[in-house]
Amino acid sequence: MTALLDALRDRRAHVVIIGQGYVGLPVAMRAAEAGFRVTGFEVDPRRLAALRDGHSYVEDVPDSRLRAAIDAGYTATDSIGDLAGFDVAVISVPTPLREGTPDLSYVEQAAEQVCRVLRAGALVVLESTTYPGTTEELVGPILEGSGLAAGRDFHLGYSPERIDPGNARFTFENTPKVVSGVDEASLACVAEFYGALVDTVVPVGSCAEAELVKLLENTFRHVNIALVNELAMFAEDLGVDIWSAIDAASTKPFGYMRFTPGPGVGGHCLPVDPSYLSWRVRRTSGSAFRFVELANDVNEHMPDYVVSRIAAMLNKHERSVKGTRILLLGMAYKAGTSDWRESPSVVVAERLAALGASLRACDPHIPAVFTPGFDLVLEDFGPEALGAADLVVVLVDHPEFDPEVICAHAPLVFDAKAILRGREFRGEVL
Ligand SMILES: NC(=O)c1ccc[n+]([C@@H]2O[C@H](COP(=O)([O-])OP(=O)(O)OC[C@H]3O[C@@H](n4cnc5c(N)ncnc54)[C@H](O)[C@@H]3O)[C@@H](O)[C@H]2O)c1
């Protein structure tokens, strides 16, 4: 099966990427730039139409990059026939939670699609985030429905995605990529493929290990954010400035890593991935993964805590939430991204709306069509919007939210991201 290694080295390989989302599209772009013939397989008709028109819906992929990839031969399709004879298939489809339980139906469906066009000697890599065991216990057997055996007839591996949307310093290319395979030959092919796309590959001993790497990284982040969030609530009670304490602790050159409090965690990873791990742990050993459960509790409570601080602050100014014109700054789940899936800002908005606030919001990253499930008018950030509100709430530290402009025009502010710290303004920091 060394023919695949040769095809990868001289870029003759036909690469197909199943799912053209936040993860799959950047992989497809990079593979096209590396010189492979790339087909993006996407079932969402709106996304497919946009790709075919050269319009990207992923912020880290500008239209110019997509169009250059199209010129280099990239095509988007929803026809399985276009995948026939592929050399490498990467599966990057959603892995949500459904009532707290991993929903692997997208992965199953994608594997069934790949199975229909799988041929001997090809490589299949799963990139979706999932619990240890998925590649070998779920994806492998589905692909073997083709009559071909993983390892013996085709290669199979797992490589977790580490992209950080909106991060200009660490991109897909310069972030080391963990790679694994069901056997040595598979690992060699996975390493060869990603070695063509990124600066550094990090081979690990098994697919389950690579699956665990991703969940370890995200659980680490989830737990540490919960730690500073809980501390922020206690520091407020103690009358200590948590932000100054974090700044000072961050001067320690070893043994400490900086995390900052906020209105909660969102996006497709932190609220979801650790629960994949705790679900698997409970199912295998019957034990609770207490760190994950505690972190979930603390982080899920943060939007309510922010709302309680807002209500208390308004109370000091002899106002109620009801009837107050509140401008929310940032509806995405974090700075620099348009992704508002699981965004804590949406929960804060829901709670404030339920209390009778009159809400508006600014988010320069979110397109005009914003459908969080309730009425929320998005407007341009600037003196006019700030001045028309009774209260401005900073929920996301998007670089466009100029602290000077906020201080100059907002009558009252609750700053949940501490972007106004050290400046003169009327209001409070989380
Ligand atoms: N977004 C991130 O920052 C990030 C980072 C690391 C890992 N991940 C993981 O990567 C995976 C994908 O996440 P995402 O953010 O790209 O999701 P996404 O929803 O943006 O993209 C997934 C795409 O797959 C498509 N799709 C679903 N089923 C399909 C099928 N059977 N065939 C073809 N296309 C199909 C969907 O229409 C969608 O466009 C998830 O497991 C996620 O946890 C995401």
Side-chain angles (χ1 to χ4, degrees), residues 18-24 41-44 47 92-95 106 109-110 113 127-129 161-163 165 214 268-269 273 333 339 341:
I18 316 298
Q20 293 291 272
Y22 288 88
V23 166
F41 185 74
E42 175 54 60
V43 292
D44 179 331
R47 285 190 160 184
S92 50
V93 295
T95 44
Y106 296 95
Q109 203 188 356
Q113 288 157 345
E127 278 223 19
S128 299
T129 304
E161 184 46 68
R162 282 173 156 169
I163 51 158
K214 174 73 188 173
H268 197 49
C269 291
D273 300 353
Y333 82 90
D339 191 351
R341 293 176 292 181

Side-chain angles (χ1 to χ4, degrees), residues 79-370:
S79 163
I80 293 176
D82 292 338
L83 313 183
F86 75 83
D87 296 295
V88 179
V90 175
I91 298 176
S92 50
V93 295
T95 44
L97 283 173
R98 209 162 295 283
E99 284 159 19
T101 302
D103 173 6
L104 288 171
S105 59
Y106 296 95
V107 172
E108 283 168 6
Q109 203 188 356
E112 279 156 15
Q113 288 157 345
V114 171
C115 175
R116 287 164 57 188
V117 279
L118 182 63
R119 60 168 188 82
L123 165 67
V124 181
V125 190
L126 179 65
E127 278 223 19
S128 299
T129 304
T130 183
Y131 56 73
T134 307
T135 306
E136 296 206 38
E137 295 165 19
L138 182 81
V139 175
I142 292 175
L143 295 173
E144 287 180 341
S146 62
L148 301 171
R152 190 192 69 200
D153 302 318
F154 69 94
H155 304 292
L156 177 62
Y158 180 81
S159 177
E161 184 46 68
R162 282 173 156 169
I163 51 158
D164 182 18
N167 190 331
R169 184 166 166 225
F170 293 111
T171 60
F172 177 76
E173 213 170 331
N174 68 9
T175 302
K177 193 124 177 51
V178 171
V179 293
S180 68
V182 294
D183 60 355
E184 269 185 36
S186 293
L187 175 60
C189 291
V190 180
E192 186 68 35
F193 171 60
Y194 285 106
L197 310 190
V198 301
D199 298 344
T200 313
V201 291
V202 182
V204 297
S206 68
C207 294
E209 212 173 296
E211 288 158 340
L212 183 60
V213 168
K214 174 73 188 173
L215 297 183
L216 167 62
E217 291 167 1
N218 280 355
T219 302
F220 174 84
R221 193 165 166 71
H222 189 49
V223 165
N224 279 286
I225 291 173
L227 173 68
V228 288
N229 276 339
E230 191 166 36
L231 258 181
M233 295 187 271
F234 291 142
E236 169 69 9
D237 294 344
L238 295 170
V240 179
D241 184 342
I242 181 72
W243 299 91
S244 293
I246 289 172
D247 282 350
S250 305
T251 61
K252 189 178 179 189
F254 51 87
Y256 184 80
M257 191 177 283
R258 183 186 173 88
F259 288 89
T260 51
V265 295
H268 197 49
C269 291
L270 292 196
V272 175
D273 300 353
S275 297
Y276 263 68
L277 191 49
S278 57
W279 180 87
R280 180 64 176 187
V281 167
R282 192 180 281 278
R283 195 158 169 245
T284 309
S285 69
S287 303
F289 194 157
R290 288 169 295 164
F291 266 104
V292 170
E293 291 179 1
L294 186 59
N296 281 343
D297 266 6
V298 173
N299 288 334
E300 282 168 13
H301 174 62
M302 288 313 287
D304 284 327
Y305 177 70
V306 166
V307 171
S308 72
R309 288 279 304 272
I310 290 170
M313 190 181 79
L314 286 171
N315 200 41
K316 280 184 219 158
H317 291 86
E318 293 173 13
R319 293 199 69 122
S320 61
V321 173
K322 188 169 183 180
T324 293
R325 290 170 302 173
I326 300 182
L327 179 70
L328 304 174
L329 297 186
M331 296 309 296
Y333 82 90
K334 69 167 199 164
T337 180
S338 61
D339 191 351
W340 55 272
R341 293 176 292 181
E342 315 282 339
S343 172
S345 299
V346 174
V347 184
V348 170
E350 273 169 353
R351 302 281 195 273
L352 291 172
L355 291 173
S358 157
L359 291 183
R360 300 177 91 79
C362 300
D363 195 310
H365 291 262
I366 293 185
V369 183
F370 177 56

